[in-house]
């Protein structure tokens, strides 16, 4: 049975080994290509730009690449020879899809599974069976179970010489060899396809150069890579003058090659990228015009695989010497005893704590010696990158060379600079929450574009909160809320008014007015903390609405911030937004006539226009009187 067991195990591993725990293909550790990697640029959209540079002799350059990188490399590969040569063509083995490979195999091996399924599929094939005491040869007739469901007894039947049927017990078989070479080769190919060998072994990509001799080559391409992950820290000093901004990034190398002394760059931004298969041969489907009566069903009947039962002798048993979780639960002391034990422990700790506090009170110079200060955090960090704007993207270039082995991660320092900022209150109007946040307001004067990522806040040498920061452009102002300030309550009421009517034009008996629609947002703040704060109220920028008296406001893209001094106790302030509204009225409308009556009193209006408007008003007044008289007569007739 040894050969049979090995065959069955291969069939199981064919499906189990192709996927990892996350359902993807496991990348292999590849042998380094003869042209080393010298530069890597990682992007935030899941791609990486790879450069290989060096001197190559001869007319061929071989690159060993991973199977899942071929499609990206074929659509982005660039070869530059600085000594005048060029790439003539590039060759690599043709890739057939798994479905095409399977369809080219005989149906007997295409759908075969475990040992029973294989015997059923190979029915009629010539085979040789060996047991511990004899050897049998013949054609496979089939296999049947002569036992019960719980205790199976499988027997293999062979048709030997002289048309003699020989029955052999499967449990006695030590090896089974199929003599039909076509079936065995097909079975191996089916196992290779199921195992998906192409994704496990590297592919050799050969670049044919225009001549021999020495070449100074640079080969570049784009492949799928994990995104680099930024993280930031804001440290608030005690004097409150500036904010220390620190940033770093986690870089993952899953390229299949070691990065040894490479130039590393991290790009902020997401250039457009996509997948396109230039590797797998594309076939065009054709209609099958064969008459239906000439078609035959070629699919063999489905045979269920036999599954082996668990061997109880090899199953590890629980260590009875160690108490189980259930025994530990039932052997616990009673609640009353547990409480007494807990009280004694707490009392002993409390006495020790009181003694420690007493000794600390006697010595007023007690200071925690290992406290992390603003200066120590700044000294222990280094800015190891320089920035560069590339079109709409911003690139961090890491100073010096970096070494990151394959299948490993590295932390790269990005920013360590003082920026303008302060600890403030931060109120978001759109949240409809009455409680503001404690937040760090800072202006990004670091010279770098900050990507979206976690931001940790430190003050007085300890962690005080964290948040997720958005993208912050250079010289932009950002707020990072890190805690709720429950001692400050904000109430909001809204008032709607109209003001500032203005005449635009008079045309064909219609008067065009423009007035301002005013929204007044009244904020009432109750500060019970006993301290004064500067609070920034965030509001969304509405289309065609303009904030009033906005000289001190901070505008950033789609929002603006209003700074307000919050004193102790109760206080209030108003934010005013206006938008122009145009209205059209007929001259018979009272509002239009009132506007014209005010207009003719203006000293800026020319005399001839005053005269014309006065005549028009007189005509409309007489018309209004006639209409009133007509309405009175119509009423008296009824």
């Amino acid at each position: 049975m040894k050969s049979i067991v090995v065959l069955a195990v291969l069939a199981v591993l064919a499906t189990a080994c192709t996927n990892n725990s996350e359902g993807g293909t496991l990348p292999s550790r590849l042998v380094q290509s003869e042209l080393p990697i010298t530069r890597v640029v990682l992007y935030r959209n899941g791609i990486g730009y790879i450069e290989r540079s060096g001197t190559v002799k001869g007319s061929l350059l071989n690159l060993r690449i991973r199977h899942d990188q071929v499609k990206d490399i074929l659509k982005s590969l660039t070869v530059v020879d600085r000594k005048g040569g060029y790439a003539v063509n590039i060759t690599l083995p043709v890739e057939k899809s798994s479905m095409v490979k399977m369809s080219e195999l005989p149906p007997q091996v295409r759908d075969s599974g475990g040992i029973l399924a294989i015997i059923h599929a190979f029915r009629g094939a010539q085979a040789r069976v060996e047991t511990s005491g004899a050897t049998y040869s013949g054609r496979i007739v089939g296999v049947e179970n002569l036992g019960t469901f719980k205790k199976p007894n499988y027997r293999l039947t062979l048709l030997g010489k002289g048309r003699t049927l020989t029955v052999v017990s499967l449990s006695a078989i030590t090896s089974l060899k199929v003599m039909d070479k076509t079936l065995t080769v097909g079975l191996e190919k089916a196992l290779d396809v199921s195992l998906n060998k192409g994704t496990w072994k590297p592919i050799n990509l050969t670049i044919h150069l225009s001549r021999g001799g020495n070449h100074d080559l640079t080969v570049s391409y784009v492949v799928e890579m994990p995104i680099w992950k930024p993280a930031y820290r804001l440290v608030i000093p005690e004097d409150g003058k500036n904010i220390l901004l620190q940033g770093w990034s986690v870089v993952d190398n899953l390229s299949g090659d070691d990065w040894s002394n490479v130039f590393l760059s991290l790009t902020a931004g997401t250039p457009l990228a996509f997948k396109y298969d230039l590797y797998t041969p594309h076939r065009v489907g054709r209609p099958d015009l064969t008459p239906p009566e000439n078609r035959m069903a070629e699919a063999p009947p489905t045979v269920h695989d036999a599954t082996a039962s668990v061997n109880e002798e090899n199953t590890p048993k629980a260590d009875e010497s160690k108490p189980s979780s259930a025994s530990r639960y039932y052997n616990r002391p009673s609640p009353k005893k547990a409480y007494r034990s807990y009280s004694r422990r707490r009392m002993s700790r409390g006495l020790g704590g009181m003694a420690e506090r007493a000794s600390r009170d006697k010595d007023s110079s007690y200071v925690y010696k290992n406290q992390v200060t603003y200066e120590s955090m700044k000294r222990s960090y280094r800015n190891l990158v320089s920035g560069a704007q590339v079109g709409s993207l911003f690139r961090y270039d890491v100073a010096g060379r970096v070494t990151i082995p394959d299948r490993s991660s590295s932390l790269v320092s990005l920013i360590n600079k003082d920026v303008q900022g302060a600890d403030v209150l931060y109120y978001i109007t759109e949240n409809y929450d009455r409680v503001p946040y404690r937040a760090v307001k800072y202006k990004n004067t670091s010279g770098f574009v900050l990507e979206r990522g976690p931001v940790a806040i430190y003050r007085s040498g300890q962690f005080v909160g964290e948040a997720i920061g958005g993208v912050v452009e250079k010289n932009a102002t950002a707020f990072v809320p890190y805690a709720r300030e429950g001692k400050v309550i904000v109430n909001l009421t809204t008032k709607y008014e109209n003001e500032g009517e203005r005449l635009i034009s008079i045309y064909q008996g219609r008067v065009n007015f423009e007035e301002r629609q005013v929204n007044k947002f009244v904020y009432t703040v109750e500060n019970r903390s006993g301290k004064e704060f500067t609070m920034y109220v965030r509001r969304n920028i509405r289309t065609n609405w303009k904030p009033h008296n906005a000289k001190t406001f901070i505008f950033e893209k789609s929002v603006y911030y209003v700074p307000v001094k919050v004193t102790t106790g109760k206080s209030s302030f108003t934010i005013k937004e206006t938008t122009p509204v145009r209205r059209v009225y007929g001259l018979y409308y009272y509002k239009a006539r009132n506007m014209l009556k005010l207009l003719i009193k203006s000293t800026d209006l020319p005399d001839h226009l005053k005269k014309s408007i006065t005549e028009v008003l007189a005509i409309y007044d007489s018309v209004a009187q006639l209409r009133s008289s007509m309405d009175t007569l119509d009423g008296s007739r009824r």
Side-chain angles (χ1 to χ4, degrees):
M1 287 287 291
K2 293 182 179 179
S3 299
I4 300 174
V5 171
V6 171
L7 191 61
V9 170
L10 285 177
V12 175
L13 290 178
T15 56
C17 293
T18 54
N19 296 329
N20 59 6
S21 61
E22 298 179 356
T25 302
L26 286 170
S28 61
R29 287 295 300 269
L30 303 184
V31 179
Q32 297 283 341
S33 300
E34 56 181 306
L35 199 63
I37 295 178
T38 54
R39 187 188 180 198
V40 177
V41 182
L42 299 180
Y43 295 82
R44 292 279 292 167
N45 62 344
I47 61 173
Y49 170 81
I50 308 294
E51 270 190 13
R52 296 176 179 268
S53 299
T55 302
V56 176
K57 294 182 180 180
S59 60
L60 297 178
L61 170 63
N62 293 315
L63 296 180
R64 294 173 63 81
I65 57 178
R66 217 169 58 207
H67 180 274
D68 57 341
Q69 297 176 338
V70 177
K71 299 174 185 178
D72 285 323
I73 290 177
L74 288 180
K75 67 181 177 63
S76 60
L77 183 64
T78 302
V79 181
V80 176
D81 189 350
R82 295 183 181 84
K83 291 191 176 181
Y86 56 89
V88 178
N89 68 310
I90 300 170
T91 59
L92 69 164
V94 176
E95 167 68 7
K96 291 184 179 180
S97 67
S98 299
M99 294 182 62
V100 174
K101 289 179 179 178
M102 279 294 193
S103 64
E104 294 174 351
L105 298 175
Q108 292 91 337
V109 298
R110 186 169 61 227
D111 302 318
S112 59
I115 180 61
L116 295 180
I118 291 175
I119 292 176
H120 281 289
F122 289 3
R123 185 172 182 268
Q126 192 74 24
R128 185 175 67 192
V129 177
E130 293 184 1
T131 64
S132 58
T135 301
Y136 306 94
S137 298
R139 301 181 67 184
I140 297 176
V141 177
V143 65
E144 57 186 341
N145 183 15
L146 300 181
T148 62
F149 178 76
K150 294 183 178 180
K151 294 183 179 181
N153 183 14
Y154 292 102
R155 299 297 181 96
L156 173 64
T157 303
L158 298 175
L159 177 62
K161 295 181 179 180
R163 300 180 180 179
T164 302
L165 293 176
T166 304
V167 179
V168 183
S169 175
L170 256 65
S171 60
I173 296 176
T174 57
S175 68
L176 186 150
K177 182 177 181 181
V178 180
M179 309 306 294
D180 192 330
K181 187 177 180 180
T182 302
L183 293 178
T184 55
V185 171
L187 179 60
E188 291 181 358
K189 289 184 177 180
L191 292 175
D192 290 342
V193 174
S194 299
L195 188 60
N196 201 5
K197 269 192 173 180
T199 62
W200 285 63
K201 62 182 180 181
I203 293 177
N204 191 42
L205 188 147
T206 304
I207 301 176
H208 298 261
L209 302 174
S210 59
R211 58 175 179 80
N214 294 330
H215 302 270
D216 186 6
L217 293 180
T218 295
V219 178
S220 63
Y221 50 83
V222 172
V223 293
E224 186 175 79
M225 288 291 295
I227 64 173
W228 60 278
K229 303 175 286 293
Y232 304 95
R233 180 190 297 120
L234 293 171
V235 184
I236 306 172
E238 292 301 325
D239 56 13
K241 293 182 179 179
N242 288 316
I243 301 294
L244 176 60
L245 172 62
Q246 296 179 331
W248 61 94
S249 173
V250 178
V251 177
D252 304 312
N253 178 13
L254 296 180
S255 64
D257 278 292
D258 293 333
W259 297 346
S260 300
N261 296 325
V262 302
F263 292 105
L264 178 64
S265 299
L266 310 176
T267 300
T270 54
L272 296 179
F274 54 87
K275 293 182 179 181
Y276 196 87
D277 190 359
L278 293 175
Y279 183 44
T280 305
H282 295 183
R283 298 172 182 263
V284 179
R286 295 174 296 163
D288 187 356
L289 302 182
T290 305
E293 59 271 13
N294 294 342
R295 300 178 187 174
M296 294 181 61
E298 298 180 354
T302 303
V303 179
H304 295 282
D305 294 342
T307 57
S309 60
V310 179
N311 187 356
E312 296 182 357
E313 295 180 357
N314 297 329
T315 304
K317 296 183 179 180
D319 189 359
E320 298 178 355
S321 62
K322 297 181 180 180
S324 64
S325 59
S327 64
R328 287 196 301 270
Y329 177 81
Y330 288 109
N331 292 332
R332 289 189 302 176
S334 64
K336 184 178 294 185
K337 293 181 179 179
Y339 176 75
R340 291 174 181 171
S341 176
Y342 168 74
S343 300
R344 286 194 295 269
R345 292 196 305 269
R346 185 177 180 182
M347 184 177 296
S348 62
R349 287 199 300 266
L351 292 174
M354 286 189 291
E356 182 182 355
R357 287 194 297 271
S359 62
R360 198 182 305 172
D361 293 337
K362 293 179 180 179
D363 184 9
S364 59
S365 62
Y366 175 85
V367 178
Y368 178 49
K369 297 181 180 179
N370 295 329
Q371 182 177 358
V372 179
T373 63
Y374 176 92
E375 290 76 13
S376 62
M377 294 185 72
K378 186 175 181 179
R379 287 195 306 268
S380 62
Y381 209 78
R382 290 294 181 268
N383 182 13
L384 301 179
V385 300
S386 59
Q389 193 75 30
V390 184
S392 61
L393 307 176
F394 186 85
R395 192 182 68 217
Y396 297 91
D397 295 323
V398 180
R401 295 177 180 265
V402 177
T403 297
I404 306 177
D406 185 31
R407 292 191 182 183
S408 61
S409 300
S410 177
L411 269 69
V412 179
S413 301
L414 299 180
I415 303 170
N416 184 42
K417 288 193 175 182
D418 287 329
V419 296
Q420 303 173 11
D423 191 8
V424 299
L425 287 185
Y426 179 63
Y427 183 74
I428 305 174
T429 303
E430 292 74 22
N431 285 359
Y432 301 103
D433 191 358
R434 300 175 61 193
V435 179
Y437 292 90
R438 296 293 294 269
V440 176
K441 166 188 169 291
Y442 72 97
K443 186 175 182 180
N444 183 19
T445 56
S446 64
F448 300 93
V449 176
L450 307 185
E451 281 289 286
R452 178 179 175 84
V455 183
I457 313 298
Y458 282 77
R459 184 166 191 168
S460 300
Q462 67 179 15
F463 172 82
V464 294
E466 61 183 352
I468 295 294
V471 177
V472 183
E473 300 290 339
K474 291 188 292 185
N475 298 319
T477 301
F479 293 82
V480 182
Y482 63 87
R484 287 167 60 89
E485 182 54 71
K487 295 182 180 180
V488 179
I489 304 297
V490 181
N491 291 307
L492 171 64
T493 57
T494 306
K495 299 179 180 179
Y496 304 96
E497 299 176 356
N498 291 326
E499 63 180 23
E501 291 181 336
R502 186 168 63 94
L503 178 64
I504 301 298
S505 63
I506 303 174
Y507 181 72
Q508 294 183 351
R510 295 184 177 274
V511 182
N512 296 324
F513 290 96
E514 183 181 86
E515 62 182 359
R516 286 181 303 186
Q517 186 175 344
V518 182
N519 287 357
K520 293 182 178 180
F521 305 98
V522 182
Y523 294 85
T524 303
V525 184
E526 183 180 358
N527 183 5
R528 294 176 293 184
S529 66
K531 300 179 181 179
E532 294 187 354
F533 296 98
T534 299
M535 184 170 71
Y536 285 82
V537 178
R538 193 190 82 173
R539 292 195 58 85
N540 290 336
I541 296 177
R542 298 185 294 172
T543 305
N544 297 328
W545 287 85
K546 184 178 180 182
H548 189 62
N549 293 331
K551 293 182 179 179
T552 60
F553 296 1
I554 300 174
F555 290 86
E556 293 291 345
K557 292 185 178 180
S558 60
V559 298
Y560 69 93
Y561 305 93
V562 182
V564 179
K565 290 291 183 180
V566 176
T567 59
T568 58
K570 283 190 177 182
S571 60
S572 63
F573 59 92
T574 301
I575 299 176
K576 183 178 176 181
E577 294 181 358
T578 61
T579 184
V581 178
R582 290 197 175 187
R583 307 185 189 278
V584 180
Y585 301 114
L587 282 174
Y588 56 84
Y589 189 59
Y590 79 95
K591 205 168 187 178
R593 293 198 300 272
N594 292 338
M595 175 63 71
L596 293 178
K597 289 177 182 179
L598 292 174
L599 182 64
I600 60 179
K601 295 179 181 180
S602 174
T603 56
D604 297 332
L605 191 67
D607 293 337
H608 68 280
L609 290 179
K610 289 183 179 181
K611 182 179 180 181
S612 299
I613 294 175
T614 302
E615 293 176 355
V616 169
L617 289 175
I619 294 174
Y620 268 86
D621 287 340
S622 61
V623 169
Q625 292 178 0
L626 290 175
R627 285 180 176 176
S628 177
S629 300
M630 292 176 64
D631 292 339
T632 303
L633 291 174
D634 289 340
S636 62
R637 290 175 182 176
R638 297 174 184 173

